[in-house]
């Protein structure tokens, strides 16, 4: 059980990566990149195909419909709170509500909010012999120090409130994970002690944003 990354080189747009979660019951494509080509589709099919697409937030919706069609019309799971940002309706797009949705054995979409109301991470409990991994996009933005941080607007450097970050921590608390894979290669990965690093990040962030630290 492994993850594989899909990237465009040289970087295009904001340079995010997609992640393929290769599970025993079917592969899930997490987030999307803009460019889709036959070679990438052939590679994905050779790895067992894709059973579903799930996306963390609207900045990565990009060519999601084209990805779905190229992969056989697989469902695209989006949180209903971000429905307004879907610019192109398609039968593959499936909206879900609430804070969690199972999309397969040991695979759970978790709505944390953040810089979009429907901001979501994908928790894979069985990854790496049960160590667990959170695929976080930039809802939990992994930073070079090995912590994560939180923003309402990255381009404008507007932070999230302490209350919203505390809610993120509370929703995420039941999920065990050793690793966090973010949206950007080279600066987007925690390889061990994921739960502890996220908890420490929340404490540090709230202390600074409230002036208590």
């Amino acid at each position: 059980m492994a993850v594989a990354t899909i990237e465009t080189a040289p970087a295009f747009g904001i340079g995010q990566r997609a992640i393929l979660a290769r599970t025993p019951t079917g592969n899930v494509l997490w987030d999307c990149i803009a460019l889709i080509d036959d070679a990438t589709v052939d590679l994905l099919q050779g790895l067992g195909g894709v059973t579903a697409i799930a996306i963390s937030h609207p900045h990565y919706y990009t060519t999601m419909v084209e990805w779905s069609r190229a992969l056989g019309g697989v469902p695209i799971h989006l949180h209903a709170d971000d429905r307004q940002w879907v610019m192109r309706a398609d039968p593959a797009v499936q909206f879900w509500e609430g804070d969690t949705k199972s999309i397969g054995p040991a695979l759970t979409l978790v709505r944390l909010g953040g810089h979009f109301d429907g901001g979501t991470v994908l928790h894979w409990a069985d990854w790496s012999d049960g160590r667990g991994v959170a695929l976080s996009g930039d809802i939990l933005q992994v930073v070079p120090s090995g912590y994560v941080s939180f923003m309402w607007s990255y381009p404008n450097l507007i932070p999230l409130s302490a209350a919203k970050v505390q809610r993120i921590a509370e929703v995420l608390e039941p999920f065990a994970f050793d690793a966090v894979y973010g949206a950007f290669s080279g600066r987007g990965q925690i390889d061990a002690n994921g739960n502890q690093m996220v908890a420490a990040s929340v404490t540090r962030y709230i202390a600074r944003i409230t002036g208590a630290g």
Side-chain angles (χ1 to χ4, degrees), residues 17 19 30-31 56-57 60 110-116 118-123 133-144 146-152 154 160 164-173 175-184 187-190 193-203 205:
R17 63 182 178 180
I19 295 178
W30 172 249
D31 283 338
S56 59
H57 69 293
Y60 304 151
V110 186
R111 185 188 76 89
L112 299 181
H115 58 302
F116 282 87
T120 298
V121 302
L122 174 60
H123 179 253
V133 62
L135 307 183
S136 69
D138 58 10
I139 306 305
L140 307 175
Q141 176 76 291
V142 182
V143 293
Y147 288 82
V148 301
S149 198
F150 316 87
M151 294 289 280
W152 181 78
Y154 285 100
L160 276 180
K164 288 187 179 294
V165 172
Q166 183 60 47
R167 181 195 174 278
I168 285 173
E170 291 169 357
V171 173
L172 198 56
E173 194 277 334
F175 298 91
F177 51 90
D178 202 34
V180 181
Y181 285 4
F184 303 99
R187 57 186 174 94
Q189 197 160 305
I190 296 171
N193 303 313
N195 280 106
Q196 296 93 322
M197 295 308 298
V198 171
S201 299
V202 169
T203 299
Y205 181 96

Side-chain angles (χ1 to χ4, degrees), residues 33-190:
I33 58 175
L35 177 65
I36 179 171
D37 59 11
D38 291 340
T40 303
V41 173
D42 289 344
L43 176 62
L44 291 174
Q45 300 293 18
L47 293 173
V50 170
T51 59
I53 296 170
I55 302 181
S56 59
H57 69 293
H59 286 153
Y60 304 151
Y61 287 177
T62 183
T63 50
M64 61 182 179
V65 171
E66 282 74 18
W67 278 100
S68 171
R69 291 180 178 176
L71 296 167
V74 298
I76 304 167
H77 298 290
L78 308 178
H79 198 277
D81 284 354
D82 291 336
R83 183 191 300 265
Q84 64 176 309
W85 303 107
V86 176
M87 299 292 103
R88 177 183 175 190
D90 190 88
V93 176
Q94 299 184 8
F95 294 104
W96 61 281
E97 299 181 343
D99 283 340
T100 62
K101 177 181 175 59
S102 173
I103 59 170
L107 291 168
T108 306
L109 297 173
V110 186
R111 185 188 76 89
L112 299 181
H115 58 302
F116 282 87
D117 290 341
T120 298
V121 302
L122 174 60
H123 179 253
W124 182 8
D126 287 347
W127 174 80
S128 187
D129 297 322
R131 290 172 56 209
V133 62
L135 307 183
S136 69
D138 58 10
I139 306 305
L140 307 175
Q141 176 76 291
V142 182
V143 293
S145 60
Y147 288 82
V148 301
S149 198
F150 316 87
M151 294 289 280
W152 181 78
S153 171
Y154 285 100
N156 297 296
L157 301 180
I158 301 173
L160 276 180
S161 69
K164 288 187 179 294
V165 172
Q166 183 60 47
R167 181 195 174 278
I168 285 173
E170 291 169 357
V171 173
L172 198 56
E173 194 277 334
F175 298 91
F177 51 90
D178 202 34
V180 181
Y181 285 4
F184 303 99
S185 290
R187 57 186 174 94
Q189 197 160 305
I190 296 171

